[in-house]
Amino acid sequence: MADPENSVQSPSSGVEAISHGRFTISTLVSNEEDSMNIYCQPELTCGSLGSNNLTQNSTFYLRTFGYNTLDVVPSYEYYANTQMAGEGKKNRPTLADLCSYMMETEQHSPPLYESGTNDELGKREEQLSSDKVPEEPVRFGWIKGVMVRCMLNIWGVILYLRLSWITAQAGIALTWLIIIMSIVVTSITGLSISAISTNGKVKSGGTYFLISRSLGPELGGSIGLIFAFANAVAVAMHTVGFAETVRDLLIEHSATIVDPTNDIRIIGVITVTVLLGISLAGMEWEAKAQIGFFFVILVSLANYIVGTIIPPSKEKQAKGFFSYRGDIFAQNFLPNWRGEDASFFGMFSIFFPSATGILAGANISGDLKDPAVAIPKGTLSAIFWTALSYLIISVTIGSCMILDASGSVNDTIPIGSTDCEGIACGYGWNFTECTQTGTCKYGLINNYQSMSLVSGFAPLITAGIFGATLSSALACLVSAPKVFQCLCKDNLYPGIGFFGKGYGKNNEPIYSYLLTYFIAIGFILIAELNTIAPIISNFFLCSYALINFSCFHASITNSPGWRPSFTYYNKWTSLFGAVVSVAIMFLLTWWAALIAIGIVGFLLAYALYKKPAVNWGSSVQAGSYNMALSYSVGLNEVDDHVKNYRPQCLVLTGPPNFRPALVDFVGTVTKNHSLMVCGNVLIGHQKEKVPEVTSDGHFKWMTKRKIRSFYTAVAAGDLRTGSQMLMQAVGLGRMKPNVLVMGFKRNWQSDHPQNLENYTGIIYDSFDLNYGVCVMRMKQGLDITRMTHTCVDSSAVFVEQQASTIFQLEQGKKNIDIYWLFDDGGLTLLIPYLLTRKKRWRQCKVRVFVGGQINRMDEERKAMINLLNKFRLGFHEVHVLPDINQKPRPEQVKRFEDLIAPYRLNDGFKDEAIVNELRKDCPWKISDEEIKKNNTKSLRQVKLNEILLDYSRDAALIIITMPIARKEKSPSALYLAWLETLSQDLRPPVVLVRGNQQNVLTFYCQ
């Protein structure tokens, strides 16, 4: 703004940059018209067109609108953040192009195909054809990319190796309840993720990308790390399931590598290494492998259904399989808990990881042709078909297989024997001995390989186990690095950017693959599936809760940007899904839930502290806006009360980085409890100052300096007009400034006298608008650009350059001296009180000086202490000044007279009419009559300066009641001479304060 201290008006030295547009309106013309040159040059009303936007084949068409225009028709390219391979980024003409500059027609060169020769055209075509087009990455549709991938991940190790055991423990009824509960959570989450993924173009990063772009980087980053880690652990879970099956096959053939536990570890490490090789071969090879696994699983499931119908052999009956029987269904319908950890939620925690595969398609969103279509369609289809398969398998296997069996074909008995227990007795088998001793090796509750036993051809089930476990492990091995890569590229956390580097046409994160590989090996070494599965459940449930909450929060904020093309969702259903997910977390394993939430909380706190420099238009931002708007409107319904008074400051800083001390002082007073607005008046024409008015560099500078303030700039013809605009327009409802803060005009004696009128006029205007006023003076000045004698462009803000000021330093036990000479409503006391609440000023001793009579000093001192105690400010040291009205030293009086001498009218006490005529063009001049009338007040300022030098020479800060001059009775030169005299020669910063004569302090409680 114009310098409040040194407001010298000067023409802008900057040259406005001219941007360039282009003509893209096309028209269809007939062959007859083709022979005519209709591409005449238009009359432009915009910035000159240069080569940066106007390409060689640009044409100017008349037919579409009937006249030449620089406007462009709506096009996808103007809204896209990316550009086509081999082409430059297209930009629509700017407003400056369309409005602000007149273009001469001869500056345009004709299109290439009009002015160029055939040789030139040929060279251009040859150049375009020779440009190397990057190789297109592999992209998948909704079936191959999402549905198949999700189904494979859901049909994992739990389906083949634990579903039959869970059915035996929980019974068919509770198993169905477990499955239905999982379906409810995953279905709601599927609907939520479908809505989120169709609300804009989805890039790579899957679940992390969706949550972070919806809820913001703070929550998105924390859940991204957890989700990537959960997928890495899921690789270990599925690999251990595969290794268990291989180990069991080896035992059946009386072969082992080392021992049963170490065999799982060895087989698991070898398997995950092979899977890593497939993943590193590229997405295309990984997708082909997944399709193969998918068909193997389908065949194995069909084989299982056929096996349940085929009459069982004697060997299968010895192991507990008797085909469909009503009494078996009745026995297995209710739970039969066995083991220390056998419980409903214990079974749920083991089963639930099978449902986590619904995000497998979303996790490779960057490799899908159309994620917005593929993710909803594929995810919901996968949930339906896999849920149906789980329900069918649990009820069928629970209807044809008993809980306990010995596996010995010699345990047959005649049907109807009385010394036999269990429903197997009715089928001619006696498993009583092993049932009572707990040594049965077979049966639904003892054998994890029950599906192989039931199936028509056991090797096909084994192949299905291999396909399910390996495909799920492979999907997780791909998902974790893809999610982590996107997180690394966003630079939310330090030290992980190394893992985000991509290679090849699909931008494969090699280092993220290796990190996932080593995490998986660490958990494979546990070698116990029932231990690994519950670890994953809480992390995935945490992810589901946040996905559902993201959908709910985006819906409830009513942001115009929330426009998902998938409309089959409900915000309250999403909220229910989030609450259920969190509840299930604690019901499964409360301590693991606390750990998961603690990790999310820690990462969230870190992100909030670091404040990542990203802006994704999250629903948190929309929610913050809604809350701010609601509270701001709500404040209008509440009348102001003195107890809630806050000094809301409009600070005439100009460019804030020019006057850091003024910014720091007000920022310290208002931080965390009051409004601060930095105002900048740009002297000049509005069109010339538009770039500076709209610049956000000053706000970034304040943010870097940790100043909580708004910034507003206006363009005006002079400083006073701009200040009037700011004082009248700045604010929102009750959130409106009530105190004007400005710097003292140090160069008032050398500046143009009209600027003195403007400066004092600002003070008068503020009082007229019911503002309080603070004027700050520092011995070295406030404008650092003048102190260093450098010329700085106010539009160029260097955020990293932060000048140090006294208000950033620890003040220790210095004094803050308050000269409360006149009652202004208490603002002179309130501002230093707020300052002493801050850490750097907390230890300072506050001294209050008041005027008084020498014969009543004790009474007046006690009265003031009593008043201050009622205000509860904590100010206990009061000094009475009895010598305010005594005559100052003659040399100081002479100094004041010399100060105002250049501004005296020397009219010789002529009539007022004659005086007004003499200073018609010089309103700042001081008549002899005005000097006489204000002599007492002038001498008081001289004497007060002597007192300040005596008492407060070493204070940390001086705050004094500012004198007020009567309008049209005290010329601007005389008023500035008072302020100059009062604050001159003082080393500490001086703040002249004058409230608006309304109470800002009270000692009442209502």
Side-chain angles (χ1 to χ4, degrees):
M1 64 176 264
D3 192 348
E5 301 177 64
N6 312 293
S7 57
V8 181
Q9 300 183 25
S10 60
S12 175
S13 60
V15 180
E16 183 178 359
I18 302 172
S19 56
H20 308 287
R22 71 225 181 298
F23 292 77
T24 60
I25 304 297
S26 59
T27 184
L28 297 175
V29 294
S30 62
N31 292 334
E32 180 181 353
E33 289 171 324
D34 283 344
S35 61
M36 301 173 60
N37 181 10
I38 67 169
Y39 307 109
C40 52
Q41 304 299 327
E43 179 180 337
L44 300 178
T45 60
C46 60
S48 60
L49 303 177
S51 58
N52 61 333
N53 279 339
L54 187 62
T55 58
Q56 288 186 333
N57 60 350
S58 293
T59 57
F60 309 103
Y61 294 102
L62 294 169
R63 285 295 296 271
T64 304
F65 297 105
Y67 62 91
N68 294 320
T69 177
L70 190 65
D71 267 329
V72 295
V73 293
S75 177
Y76 170 84
E77 288 81 3
Y78 304 136
Y79 297 90
N81 292 329
T82 56
Q83 61 192 45
M84 298 298 291
E87 296 184 8
K89 177 75 168 66
K90 293 184 177 181
N91 296 305
R92 69 173 64 85
T94 64
L95 286 174
D97 291 334
L98 296 174
C99 304
S100 64
Y101 192 77
M102 183 66 71
M103 178 77 178
E104 296 295 333
T105 58
E106 58 268 16
Q107 290 180 327
H108 287 284
S109 58
L112 177 63
Y113 49 80
E114 292 183 11
S115 61
T117 63
N118 290 335
D119 291 342
E120 290 173 339
L121 292 174
K123 290 179 181 177
R124 176 62 177 163
E125 291 176 0
E126 183 179 352
Q127 180 183 352
L128 290 174
S129 63
S130 64
D131 289 342
K132 187 176 180 180
V133 180
E135 188 177 358
E136 283 293 323
V138 178
R139 294 286 186 258
F140 306 113
W142 72 274
I143 295 178
K144 189 176 179 181
V146 181
M147 189 186 79
V148 170
R149 188 175 296 274
C150 288
M151 291 178 73
L152 284 171
N153 219 1
I154 296 172
W155 281 337
V157 62
I158 303 299
L159 174 68
Y160 286 98
L161 298 181
R162 291 297 183 272
L163 182 59
S164 58
W165 177 73
I166 292 172
T167 303
Q169 290 271 7
I172 296 173
L174 292 184
T175 301
W176 270 47
L177 180 59
I178 289 172
I179 296 172
I180 291 171
M181 285 176 59
S182 301
I183 293 171
V184 169
V185 174
T186 55
S187 297
I188 293 174
T189 307
L191 294 174
S192 298
I193 206 166
S194 298
I196 296 172
S197 63
T198 57
N199 188 52
K201 191 173 182 179
V202 179
K203 297 182 180 179
S204 61
T207 306
Y208 160 70
F209 182 88
L210 296 174
I211 295 178
S212 62
R213 270 56 176 179
S214 180
L215 283 179
E218 295 84 6
L219 270 176
S222 57
I223 206 62
L225 275 178
I226 284 181
F227 190 73
F229 177 76
N231 273 280
V233 178
V235 175
M237 182 186 75
H238 295 296
T239 305
V240 167
F242 170 80
E244 272 190 12
T245 306
V246 176
R247 188 268 320 267
D248 291 343
L249 288 175
L250 292 175
I251 292 175
E252 282 184 16
H253 294 85
S254 302
T256 57
I257 302 173
V258 180
D259 58 64
T261 301
N262 284 315
D263 286 357
I264 292 176
R265 293 168 178 158
I266 294 170
I267 296 167
V269 171
I270 295 173
T271 303
V272 78
T273 304
V274 174
L275 294 177
L276 176 66
I278 296 174
S279 301
L280 295 178
M283 286 298 294
E284 193 169 3
W285 282 97
E286 187 264 351
K288 290 177 180 178
Q290 295 283 37
I291 293 295
F293 291 142
F294 183 71
F295 282 108
V296 169
I297 292 174
L298 288 180
V299 172
S300 70
L301 293 178
N303 172 55
Y304 162 78
I305 296 297
V306 171
T308 60
I309 302 172
I310 298 174
S313 64
K314 191 174 182 180
E315 289 78 11
K316 288 188 176 183
Q317 288 184 349
K319 294 180 180 179
F321 174 55
F322 295 96
S323 193
Y324 293 106
R325 305 277 181 152
D327 51 353
I328 295 179
F329 173 81
Q331 183 194 38
N332 292 335
F333 187 78
L334 297 177
N336 190 344
W337 306 116
R338 295 189 191 179
E340 295 181 0
D341 300 325
S343 65
F344 176 80
F345 285 105
M347 296 300 107
F348 185 89
S349 67
I350 293 173
F351 174 82
F352 190 77
S354 66
T356 58
I358 64 167
L359 300 178
N363 288 338
I364 62 161
S365 54
D367 297 302
L368 301 175
K369 291 178 182 177
D370 189 354
V373 173
I375 292 176
K377 204 171 181 181
T379 302
L380 296 176
S381 299
I383 292 173
F384 174 78
W385 291 114
T386 53
L388 188 63
S389 65
Y390 272 104
L391 292 171
I392 291 174
I393 291 172
S394 65
V395 74
T396 53
I397 202 165
S399 302
C400 61
M401 194 167 181
I402 63 175
L403 296 178
D404 297 291
S406 65
S408 173
V409 295
N410 297 322
D411 287 341
T412 58
I413 60 171
I415 296 176
S417 298
T418 58
D419 58 344
C420 178
E421 295 180 3
I423 61 174
C425 301
Y427 309 137
W429 292 87
N430 183 8
F431 302 133
T432 305
E433 183 180 352
C434 75
T435 301
Q436 292 177 348
T437 59
T439 57
C440 294
K441 293 183 179 180
Y442 294 95
L444 199 60
I445 205 167
N446 301 308
N447 184 15
Y448 290 147
Q449 302 285 347
S450 296
M451 282 187 67
S452 297
L453 177 65
V454 172
S455 65
F457 184 59
L460 284 178
I461 294 296
T462 303
I465 295 174
F466 288 175
T469 54
L470 294 178
S471 64
S472 298
L474 191 57
C476 294
L477 188 57
V478 171
S479 296
K482 293 285 186 180
V483 172
F484 194 57
Q485 181 187 32
C486 185
L487 177 64
C488 293
K489 286 185 175 180
D490 287 336
N491 293 319
L492 301 182
Y493 302 106
I496 62 175
F498 169 76
F499 295 101
K501 188 176 181 181
Y503 298 89
K505 63 181 180 181
N506 272 67
N507 196 31
E508 299 292 349
I510 304 297
Y511 297 117
S512 293
Y513 275 112
L514 293 176
L515 179 63
T516 304
Y517 170 73
F518 287 114
I519 292 174
I521 286 180
F523 282 87
I524 286 171
L525 296 179
I526 296 176
E528 178 53 53
L529 187 62
N530 290 356
T531 303
I532 299 173
I535 297 174
I536 303 172
S537 295
N538 272 289
F539 288 125
F540 277 113
L541 280 167
C542 193
S543 303
Y544 289 179
L546 279 176
I547 289 172
N548 287 307
F549 182 74
S550 298
C551 184
F552 165 76
H553 197 266
S555 303
I556 202 72
T557 55
N558 293 320
S559 172
W562 175 249
R563 303 185 303 274
S565 56
F566 181 86
T567 57
Y568 301 102
Y569 73 96
N570 182 276
K571 59 186 175 184
W572 301 113
T573 305
S574 297
L575 179 61
F576 174 75
V579 173
V580 168
S581 297
V582 174
I584 292 173
M585 284 176 63
F586 282 94
L587 290 172
L588 293 183
T589 316
W590 65 267
W591 56 266
L594 289 177
I595 291 175
I597 293 175
I599 294 173
V600 172
F602 172 77
L603 296 172
L604 173 63
Y606 176 82
L608 289 172
Y609 173 75
K610 296 298 290 185
K611 294 182 179 176
V614 293
N615 184 3
W616 296 324
S618 66
S619 62
V620 173
Q621 293 173 329
S624 299
Y625 175 85
N626 283 351
M627 289 179 62
L629 182 61
S630 176
Y631 287 136
S632 297
V633 174
L635 281 175
N636 291 331
E637 302 172 3
V638 181
D639 293 333
D640 289 333
H641 194 284
V642 64
K643 284 174 63 179
N644 293 323
Y645 176 86
R646 299 164 186 258
Q648 302 184 118
C649 300
L650 171 61
V651 194
L652 299 184
T653 59
N657 57 319
F658 281 20
R659 296 171 181 81
L662 189 61
V663 173
D664 289 341
F665 167 69
V666 181
T668 304
V669 171
T670 61
K671 188 173 184 180
N672 294 331
H673 63 74
S674 187
L675 174 69
M676 175 181 175
V677 181
C678 291
N680 184 6
V681 179
L682 301 166
I683 308 298
H685 196 276
Q686 180 179 352
K687 291 183 179 179
E688 298 174 355
K689 299 298 181 179
V690 164
E692 294 182 56
V693 170
T694 58
S695 171
D696 62 348
H698 298 296
F699 182 76
K700 293 179 180 177
W701 180 87
M702 291 188 292
T703 302
K704 180 71 176 178
R705 201 174 181 86
K706 298 182 179 179
I707 298 294
R708 298 170 64 91
S709 171
F710 297 97
Y711 170 79
T712 302
V714 295
D718 57 67
L719 177 62
R720 184 176 183 181
T721 303
S723 300
Q724 290 172 342
M725 294 165 63
L726 287 171
M727 285 188 284
Q728 294 178 76
V730 167
L732 184 67
R734 301 285 184 187
M735 300 289 291
K736 184 178 177 62
N738 52 27
V739 177
L740 179 72
V741 184
M742 57 198 301
F744 177 69
K745 188 172 180 59
R746 296 178 69 244
N747 70 332
W748 66 275
Q749 298 174 70
S750 59
D751 199 4
H752 191 285
Q754 182 58 47
N755 291 333
L756 276 64
E757 287 291 302
N758 288 340
Y759 184 83
T760 55
I762 292 172
I763 298 176
Y764 295 140
D765 294 338
S766 64
F767 290 140
D768 291 342
L769 294 169
N770 210 28
Y771 275 68
V773 177
C774 294
V775 177
M776 184 175 181
R777 181 176 187 179
M778 295 184 69
K779 186 173 184 179
Q780 66 272 31
L782 293 173
D783 191 342
I784 61 173
T785 62
R786 298 191 179 276
M787 285 186 280
T788 56
H789 304 287
T790 57
C791 182
V792 180
D793 183 6
S794 63
S795 63
V797 182
F798 301 97
V799 176
E800 298 300 327
Q801 298 180 4
Q802 300 284 342
S804 177
T805 69
I806 186 175
F807 297 100
Q808 294 179 315
L809 304 176
E810 198 76 31
Q811 297 302 314
K813 297 184 178 181
K814 297 179 182 178
N815 294 330
I816 296 177
D817 289 347
I818 304 172
Y819 289 81
W820 196 23
L821 305 178
F822 305 100
D823 194 339
D824 59 348
L827 187 64
T828 307
L829 294 176
L830 182 60
I831 287 179
Y833 167 73
L834 295 175
L835 193 67
T836 56
R837 293 174 62 180
K838 300 302 184 288
K839 182 179 179 181
R840 295 190 180 102
W841 296 81
R842 191 168 296 159
Q843 296 183 3
C844 289
K845 182 173 68 172
V846 178
R847 303 188 299 178
V848 180
F849 296 83
V850 294
Q853 301 176 16
I854 193 168
N855 58 343
R856 299 185 68 249
M857 288 180 60
D858 289 340
E859 293 86 342
E860 292 180 357
R861 180 175 176 275
K862 290 178 181 178
M864 181 54 60
I865 291 177
N866 183 49
L867 179 61
L868 293 177
N869 288 337
K870 288 180 180 295
F871 286 145
R872 307 174 308 280
L873 298 173
F875 302 163
H876 304 296
E877 185 173 343
V878 176
H879 298 267
V880 179
L881 303 174
D883 52 351
I884 291 180
N885 291 320
Q886 295 181 7
K887 287 187 177 181
R889 294 193 294 269
E891 61 271 19
Q892 295 298 327
V893 176
K894 178 66 168 58
R895 183 179 179 182
F896 175 77
E897 292 174 349
D898 293 341
L899 185 65
I900 62 173
Y903 301 95
R904 294 189 62 167
L905 198 60
N906 295 318
D907 56 299
F909 297 96
K910 293 184 173 63
D911 293 337
E912 185 175 351
I914 299 175
V915 170
N916 290 337
E917 183 66 26
L918 286 173
R919 63 177 183 189
K920 181 178 181 181
D921 298 323
C922 305
W924 53 85
K925 289 283 189 178
I926 312 170
S927 69
D928 293 343
E929 182 67 23
E930 289 166 341
I931 291 177
K932 180 181 178 181
K933 288 182 178 179
N934 291 289
N935 183 59
T936 302
K937 198 169 187 177
S938 299
L939 293 178
R940 185 188 302 141
Q941 312 312 319
V942 178
K943 184 60 182 179
L944 280 172
N945 179 253
E946 293 179 359
I947 293 173
L948 292 175
L949 289 170
D950 289 340
Y951 286 94
S952 303
R953 186 182 301 272
D954 298 322
L957 179 68
I958 299 173
I959 295 179
I960 185 170
T961 307
M962 184 174 70
I964 294 181
R966 296 182 179 274
K967 285 185 181 180
E968 300 178 358
K969 298 297 182 181
S970 302
S972 57
L974 179 60
Y975 186 46
L976 284 172
W978 288 348
L979 301 184
E980 171 74 28
T981 300
L982 179 61
S983 58
Q984 67 188 358
D985 300 333
L986 293 169
R987 184 194 60 79
V990 179
V991 182
L992 305 170
V993 179
R994 171 64 74 162
N996 61 3
Q997 302 304 112
Q998 296 178 4
N999 287 351
V1000 300
L1001 296 174
T1002 181
F1003 38 75
Y1004 296 107
C1005 60
Q1006 65 178 15

